[in-house]
Amino acid sequence: MSIDVVILAAGQGSRMRSQKPKVLHELAGKPMVRHVIESAMKAFSSPRLHVVVGHGADQVQAALSDLPINFAHQHEQRGTGHAVSQTLEALGNGPVVVLYGDVPMIQAPTLSALVERVDEQHMALLTVTMANPHGYGRIVRNDQGQAVAIVEQKDASAEQLEIGECNTGILAATGDQLRRWLPALSSDNAQGEYYLTDIIAMAASEGIEVATAEPALVSEVQGVNDRVQLSALERIHQSHEAERLMREGASLADPKRLDVRGELSVGQDVFIDVGCIFEGRVHLGNGVHVGPYSIIRDASIGDATRIEAHSMVEGSETAGDNAIGPFARLRPGTRLEKKARIGNFVETKKAHVGEGSKINHLSYIGDATLGKGVNIGAGTITCNYDGVNKHRTEVGHNVFIGSNSALVAPVTIGDGATVAAGSTVTDTVEDQALAIARARQINKQGWTPPHRK
């Protein structure tokens, strides 16, 4: 069954005090509207996506340019009913779900359950019961308990204001139903707008039953009007992530000081210290230890690896039983084989570090392949860039590179070779050879050092 998903994203969001459209403000490192789209795509198989844009339309379209979306323009802000009507020509006859780009925590199971209730004789409405319903439209039911209308806060009577069941704005109907009802909407209300919610009364008048459902959590339907509300949802989202991780086998030093900004999966007996940030797709294997204030982005960390404090691992992979940091940076394209070690203030990029190899201090290793059992001395760098092109450094097995050496790529260091400290290596070093590439020391007796005048 083909399903249309309409997402309203045309509002200005003036209370955000921002040049950026409200729906592009980020929750867990991702624009709010993208959270909504991803939930819809999880709930339905190949839905047709329609995003209604208005203020900042170019920015919204650019941010979602990688997705198969039909963008509809609402040039005048005349209410939610008017917004949905901009998509009518593109809708099919089957179920249509209306969502909101600033309600980012809606979940796929909630949407699936809602759509199941929709057919020619039924539409569906997502409601929520709140202790303090101020600001929400109220659900009006008849004597048989059927939902027959929604009354907005500003239009509600004193009796209706006492109703605790509220409208979330999220609903589902067929395309045929919407084509009948939306053109008949009236703007005769306190706001002078075309309310989408008025179609509930139209459905009731036609004898079409309005089925209602509630989300598992109130946070699923909480909208964002300002940065304070966005911050509150961020903490709710992160608390859900922390709870999930602990149930899956991770211990968190402080669940309130965790930020997951993507997809994080964990094995058993993982430990995550305070202040860590996980972005993109990250996997932590069994027994991984992540030290405080580390950032891991788009990486796979093998079993029993220890990442010490203030390290950054991006676009990298470790085979397991590795030691990283503190204050280490693994840049994209780094692969550590088992038992390889990256120490403090070491940076790697497009580096394949062999089993048991060590780069322990103050070094840069980029565009390089290191064999097994290599020792890189402190202060060593691979000079991989000639100002135009990048070149590779190839280091064989069981090589010892002395401190403060510069390996000028392209260059090859053979198996078992040794490079003396302070060398600048520009030519191939054969297997088992000792390379000494430094100027002869000269001592000048009686030399007078510079002094202040």
Side-chain angles (χ1 to χ4, degrees), residues 342-365:
I342 304 294
N344 51 285
F345 303 103
V346 171
E347 178 181 347
T348 64
K349 188 267 295 180
K350 290 185 180 178
H352 187 167
V353 182
E355 183 176 344
S357 292
K358 299 180 290 185
I359 314 169
N360 276 336
H361 319 281
L362 303 159
S363 295
Y364 170 71
I365 303 297

Side-chain angles (χ1 to χ4, degrees), residues 19 65 111 181 225 227 260 273 277 279 306 367 438:
Q19 299 296 314
S65 60
L111 298 179
W181 298 333
N225 290 310
R227 295 175 192 264
V260 178
D273 215 322
I277 299 173
E279 300 181 342
R306 284 188 67 91
D367 294 286
R438 59 194 183 206

Side-chain angles (χ1 to χ4, degrees), residues 40-109:
M41 294 178 75
K42 289 178 183 177
F44 312 119
S45 176
S46 301
R48 290 194 296 263
L49 299 171
H50 311 270
V51 175
V52 181
V53 293
H55 291 287
D58 291 344
Q59 294 180 60
V60 176
Q61 289 179 251
L64 303 177
S65 60
D66 60 314
L67 296 170
I69 293 174
N70 166 51
F71 290 98
H73 290 261
Q74 186 186 23
H75 298 292
E76 297 180 76
Q77 307 300 297
R78 302 174 65 187
T80 52
H82 178 258
V84 177
S85 69
Q86 307 309 302
T87 68
L88 283 179
E89 292 184 3
L91 299 180
N93 298 327
V96 179
V97 185
V98 179
L99 304 174
Y100 298 82
D102 60 357
V103 183
M105 292 185 64
I106 189 67
Q107 298 298 302

Side-chain angles (χ1 to χ4, degrees), residues 243-291:
E243 182 177 335
R244 175 184 66 82
L245 291 169
M246 289 186 288
R247 294 188 186 281
E248 290 179 1
S251 293
L252 308 180
D254 185 350
K256 294 182 179 179
R257 287 187 284 173
L258 169 78
D259 281 280
V260 178
R261 303 172 185 174
E263 300 176 18
L264 173 59
S265 61
V266 296
Q268 297 179 354
D269 300 315
V270 168
F271 176 80
I272 299 172
D273 215 322
V274 300
C276 293
I277 299 173
F278 301 91
E279 300 181 342
R281 291 188 175 182
V282 176
H283 175 72
L284 305 179
N286 296 328
V288 168
H289 176 107
V290 183

